[in-house]
Amino acid sequence: MSLTTPRTDWRAGIERRLTRTREFVDDTDPEALAVVLASMGSLVAAFFGFLLASAWTAVPLGAFLIATGYGWVRHQALVARAVSFAMTTVTLVTLGLIVVFIFVESIPAFRYETTSVFGVSVPGLGMFAQTRWDAVSEPVRYSLLPMIHGTVMVTAIATLVAAPIGVAAALFIAEIASLRVRELVKPGIEVLAGIPSIVYGFIGFTVINPWASGAFALNGGSTYLFVGMVVGLMALPTVVSVAEDALTSVPDVMKNGSLALGATDWQSMISITLPAAFSGVSAAVLLGVGRAIGETMAATVMLAGIPRISDPLVNVFYGYETLTSLIARGYGSANGVHESALFVAGVVLFVTVLCLSIASQYIEARMRRRLGGAE
Amino acid sequence: MSQTDAEAVTTTANRTDGEAVSTTAGETVEETRPEWTSYEAGGETKLAVENLDVHYGDDHALTDVSMDIPEQSVTALIGPSGCGKSTFLRCLNRMNDRIRAANVDGTVELDGEDVYQDGVDLVELRKRVGMVFQSPNPFPKSIRENVSYGPRKHGDIDTGLLARLTGRAEPGREEALVERSLERAALWEEVRDRLDDNALGLSGGQQQRLCIARCLAVDPEVILMDEPASALDPIATSKIEDLIEDLAQDYTVVVVTHSMQQAARVSDQTAVFLTGGELVEYDDTEKIFENPESQRVEDYISGKFG
Amino acid sequence: MSRATQNALVRDDRTAYETVTGTAVGLSGAAFAVGLTALLDVVAIDYSVAGLELSVAFGAVLLALGVSVVGFGMASRLGYVDAAPQPSAGIVAAVAFTGIWFAVGAVVSGAAGLGTGGRLGVGTVLGGIAFATTALPREDVGSTAPAGALAGLCGLSLVSGVVGPGWEQVLVGYNATLFGDTVVPVLVLFASLVTGWSAAKAYGGFGARGRNVGAYVLIYLVVCSILAVLVGLVAFVTVKGLPGLFNGFGVGGAGLVRWPFLTNGAGLLADIAGVFPALVGTVWLVIGAVLFAVPTGVGAAVFLSEYAEQGRFTGAVEVATNGLWSTPSIVFGLFGAAFLIPRFGNQKSLIAGMLTLGFMLLPLVLITSREAILAVPDEYRDASAALGVSKWQTIRSVVLPAAIPGITTGVILGVGRIAGETAPILLTMGGGVLPGKSAAPDVLGSFQLSASPPFVSNPALLEATSALPYQLYALITAGLSGNIQNPQEYAWGLALTLLLVVLAFYAVGIATRYYFRKKLHQ
């Protein structure tokens, strides 16, 4: 371990980079450099023009196309490198724009729902400290708690469906199925992922809801129970494919070692393969949970659309509203603070799912390190 | 005899043999040296292989192999890569069943019972015929759990919550078994203070000895080893070799190796497989290395091909 | 180390036992299947089977299964068959049976009118007995007795008619009522699952092998159910949608094929309402998203895997990509609404939908392209570099061609996924519920040049446009009604069209993968 402070490391890094850049500039054909600079500069200008909603955006965009086109003919290698770098930043920029725009749009609702705690006024707390959502009649309040409750109910049921079934199916594909059966089941699971959510919703609306209404003598056919099961079915393919990847990445020699000791296939799966792939499998379940939380159309079409908390809390025979369906149903007819409140729902969804995604990536990276150490 | 000495001796012996052959005319040599026909190993037969044929799809991996493997001795299988020696080894505990395209004909008898007949309990077979693999493959668990894995899976040791609740757990038995197995694998002294550490933290040689201990814990009769030292450094290799010789006092050991020196050092009898999955010669190790019947074996041993 | 005993490789003949236990597994499977059809209302539970009501017949079967499962355990325990049971059925089975019997106790005593305390009490007692029965005796008894008793109890309640057709139970406070019609099939499904597992264990002779067989039976059941659901869904939509899709379909006439559902709008003038505008909208939507996302995603993948050094930048991009991949589609919709709509004429428009879906497609393309590029062996690059070829030349002539199969497959599957997305275009693209034929966007014919900025404009891109998934949603929210002859049939036809469009992408994607894989292995 060196004793250099992070700051000197950092400075050295900058210096190294500067030197490298200088060398690069010296080594490169000045014309190529000029073309690339023009191309990248006009791209940045076009981006800011677009951001400011300027009608003149077309001009730098055109300049970018011309400069890049010219450069592509004359200095392809350098232009390709610069353009592919610009494309790489698009993902980062997109994520950044999503964060900025949905947060900015949600500010009015945060302001409106300011509540003071111990004399300190906390913006937005009102959305989580009481349970009334009513955008029309006084008092107009925008509590997200009913929708969070709905999302939790649907996600919990969906996870109960998708996690065990998904892991079992992944075990089947990775460990049990013969090659031919696997070639049949895997595309089948992919196709299941491909069925559009609105088709699930349509079947739920026209078939499941009426059936449930009759079979349980319900007040209307919307239930968290069946929405959860449908959403679970939709989250299933995510769980299966990610978990299957994790299971197949466990080295075969480990499993053979267990079999050679006289353990059965099932014992080897349960005590060797599954524990070794445990992080990957839990990442799969996390991603499945993320899918279930974000699922919109089936919930929108099948739920009643009433922002209310069911009583008792765990009553699965009510189906009121989730965060996603609130946005899908309300957007367009809403304006002002109401619209802004929908963006808050979006923020809650986005942050939750992003956290799940980052957590699952962390878990997977840890697994890769551990298995890498085993070889 | 130290390792380098042994190597030197064998190589010299081989070289002189090889030169002797090359001085005589090639054609006549084959006539003066007929192909090997049969060999009766001393001692009680543990495994009797009769007309074993293995196909992987259209590929012939083993052709009509017959040999008797005697009890409590070390049998080495040598030959160039792709000659079917590992396939042969995997037939003995039916690990080939894992490869779906593999097609096995012929019989392998363990104490007179055919392991390929209908209704064979693979669990029972693999308990009696253990296996150690080419690269060490300890489970990502503690050293203790690695050793007691087999007995746990067979229900011989149960330290689970339920067993402890009902008083069926015998922690003492597990301790004794772990110690005995590790001692037998010459690993006890090195790991006795860190039985609860992850086995992946051990060195390669230690890992391989742990795999041997894990295999011994199931109390097998036969131990199959598939190039057990090929991934190890010379010092670790010599430890494994000592261990193999030692194990032969209690167990029937069959070891596949690509190193002729290793075969010469540790085995009592040696079988030579050549390309096409053919067993070319099987005899006492000394005989194979000093005066093989078959010209092809002679060529192989002297390094002329393979 | 001395060996006390030497076990034979082959167990004593158990053919008879295996036949009987195998039959029990099969019978459980059959009961499960019939129970499923009863749950789906294909058969009614008061349907008469050989003079018996179906629910009574179910009861008899469950009773028989329960008794035989207990019998299997006893036969092994008393040494009539050669099995290899372990000392205990294990903690998992014990906990599972404890939970099940606790629930049985609580439900039954609740139905008998006991209060909460009484229910908990009865549940705890039964759960305790189940735990002891599972955990304490040898495995052959522990994993059969509680299972058999459970099936027996279910069977008895059905045979005696305690639960049967016409039975109902109001769930007080839950706004729901349980009827025999649903409870009987659910009981059958559950009990047959338990007996199937237990009999499968007996079939394998208990012990490690028995557990193996028991677990496999359950896993096979799971996989079969998934495939059944898949086939059932597709078949159901197909059957319901075909009349709408082929309404007025004919061969011959003016054109070669007359397919009004796909070539008509839904306006008042159309004799047969069709989905033409939405179909065209979906096609343009996909084209726009692909034009934006595919070059960007592939370019980024090239940069990340060929140029960039592993570091903070690539790490951040990776996290951002995976984050975008899992971001809910409705959030993309919100983003499009907040970011794109104000910049494209302040109304829902085709181009806003295209770009929103493009943003969604981007991470899919990036991830699959990157995998495909990383899968190209390094030897290719080294070989090319050793010949003195520049880096970009290597990428263009060696790496990209080798990665094309993977990229193509990934793009096609990704497109299939976004083609069916509703939530983002709901907020950004809009469109009418039943657009007439004239509402179909004419993108190519609408480009206009002008002297003032932005110099090029295309009104077709700036108008709200319908797409297949959005139109289906709009129809549903309109209560499946409208100014057309048969809205129900129309909606199912629309759903089938959408499903076929998406599945076509998947079929092509999967076929491409097989094609390239086969070519690779030749």
Side-chain angles (χ1 to χ4, degrees), chain A residues 11-330:
Chain A
R11 236 178 238 165
I14 294 261
E15 260 166 40
R16 223 179 16 247
R17 206 154 291 172
L18 271 180
T19 340
R20 222 185 296 158
T21 314
R22 214 169 298 135
E23 276 168 12
F24 175 74
V25 170
D26 291 343
D27 289 348
T28 317
D29 179 9
E31 190 201 292
L33 210 58
V35 170
V36 166
L37 282 179
S39 146
M40 291 297 110
S42 46
L43 184 63
V44 172
F47 172 69
F48 280 107
F50 187 66
L51 215 53
L52 300 171
S54 156
W56 291 95
T57 305
V59 179
L61 192 66
F64 164 72
L65 290 177
I66 292 167
T68 313
Y70 174 77
W72 188 261
V73 178
R74 297 288 304 273
H75 314 280
Q76 207 177 58
L78 193 65
V79 169
R81 188 170 178 161
V83 169
S84 67
F85 171 74
M87 286 165 166
T88 312
T89 53
V90 170
T91 23
L92 283 174
V93 170
T94 307
L95 194 70
L97 286 176
I98 291 181
V99 171
V100 169
F101 273 87
I102 61 174
F103 270 93
V104 165
E105 295 284 339
S106 63
I107 288 174
F110 273 114
R111 283 232 182 92
Y112 181 85
E113 281 291 352
T114 303
T115 308
S116 59
V117 193
F118 306 122
V120 185
S121 54
V122 182
L125 190 65
M127 309 186 101
F128 308 99
Q130 45 87 32
T131 60
R132 180 181 164 88
W133 170 289
D134 198 322
V136 185
S137 51
E138 289 297 329
V140 172
R141 297 304 300 268
Y142 301 105
S143 167
L144 287 181
L145 284 182
M147 278 61 78
I148 291 176
H149 170 259
T151 297
V152 168
M153 292 286 278
V154 168
T155 308
I157 294 166
T159 312
L160 284 181
V161 173
I165 293 185
V167 174
L171 271 178
F172 177 81
I173 295 175
E175 302 283 328
I176 301 175
S178 68
L179 198 66
R180 201 166 300 160
V181 175
R182 188 178 325 170
E183 297 282 295
L184 190 80
V185 176
K186 260 184 97 164
I189 303 271
E190 268 174 330
V191 169
L192 199 58
I195 297 179
S197 61
I198 188 67
V199 172
Y200 280 107
F202 184 50
I203 294 175
F205 179 76
T206 51
V207 181
I208 298 179
N209 277 4
W211 176 81
S213 168
F216 297 101
L218 301 174
N219 236 337
S222 313
T223 56
Y224 285 135
L225 179 63
F226 290 104
V227 174
M229 286 165 81
V230 169
V231 170
L233 191 60
M234 298 167 74
L236 184 67
T238 309
V239 180
V240 176
S241 57
V242 180
E244 192 238 320
D245 277 348
L247 288 171
T248 34
S249 71
V250 175
D252 233 15
V253 289
M254 261 189 210
K255 206 184 162 202
N256 283 341
S258 167
L259 289 172
L261 287 171
T264 58
D265 285 307
W266 177 244
Q267 285 175 327
S268 308
M269 274 179 238
I270 289 302
S271 6
I272 304 297
T273 318
L274 209 50
F278 185 75
S279 352
V281 172
S282 29
V285 173
L286 279 188
L287 285 177
V289 171
R291 278 259 169 260
I293 291 176
E295 175 39 47
T296 310
M297 295 325 291
T300 311
V301 174
M302 289 176 73
L303 289 178
I306 309 162
R308 193 187 299 161
I309 295 181
S310 60
D311 175 50
L313 269 183
V314 291
N315 189 350
V316 292
F317 289 109
Y318 281 120
Y320 288 140
E321 192 80 302
T322 63
L323 289 168
T324 50
S325 67
L326 177 81
I327 303 171
R329 210 187 308 277

